[in-house]
């Protein structure tokens, strides 16, 4: 079983930056992916970005492309999400997830972290 713990959330002004981290423990596999999802109050959970552990291939939602960067550190078993040029609409609880199947579909991920809150002031 895989355990995921997010960190790095907080309060930031619009235009600022924040870096989230996801620490993984337990057994993982080379073809698995780690994804970031977010959920704002009153809205459904949405895909943000994902990375494949084996080769580092990434995939981003259009809403964050060019502003967010997902990266991995295999030695440390961590995945980071660097968020730049933050906007108020980025405000949400951000969740780290891991799974063996798809890229941007929630049901493709079997393991989830507890979430970390990101708030962007306008």
């Amino acid at each position: 079983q895989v355990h995921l713990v997010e960190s790095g959330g907080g309060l930031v002004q619009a235009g600022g930056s924040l870096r989230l981290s996801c620490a993984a423990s337990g057994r993982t596999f080379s073809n698995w992916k780690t994804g970031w999802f977010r959920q704002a109050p009153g809205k459904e959970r949405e895909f943000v970005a994902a990375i494949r552990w084996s080769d580092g291939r990434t995939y981003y939602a259009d809403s964050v492309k060019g502003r967010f960067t997902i990266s991995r550190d295999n030695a440390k078993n961590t995945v980071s999400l660097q968020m730049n040029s933050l906007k108020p609409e980025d405000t949400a609880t951000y969740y780290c997830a891991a799974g063996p199947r798809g890229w941007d579909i929630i049901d493709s991920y079997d393991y989830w972290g507890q979430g970390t809150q990101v708030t962007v002031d306008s």
Side-chain angles (χ1 to χ4, degrees), residues 2-56:
V2 176
H3 301 274
L4 305 172
V5 179
E6 304 97 331
S7 62
L11 176 66
V12 67
Q13 299 297 314
S17 298
L18 208 58
R19 186 177 181 89
L20 307 182
S21 294
C22 175
S25 62
R27 186 65 177 268
T28 59
F29 300 90
S30 62
N31 64 331
W32 279 31
K33 304 171 186 69
T34 296
W36 286 96
F37 293 78
R38 65 188 183 187
Q39 187 165 22
K43 301 185 68 176
E44 66 182 61
R45 187 166 43 182
E46 66 174 348
F47 171 78
V48 176
I51 187 167
R52 187 160 60 193
W53 292 335
S54 60
D55 60 0

Side-chain angles (χ1 to χ4, degrees), residues 48-69:
V48 176
I51 187 167
R52 187 160 60 193
W53 292 335
S54 60
D55 60 0
R57 182 182 177 185
T58 59
Y59 181 60
Y60 296 92
D62 288 340
S63 60
V64 306
K65 198 172 299 181
R67 299 188 298 122
F68 291 10
T69 302

Side-chain angles (χ1 to χ4, degrees), residues 4 14 19 39 75-77 79 99 101 104 110 116:
L4 305 172
R19 186 177 181 89
Q39 187 165 22
K76 297 180 179 179
N77 237 13
V79 171
R101 297 179 292 278
D104 59 350
D110 299 316
T116 185

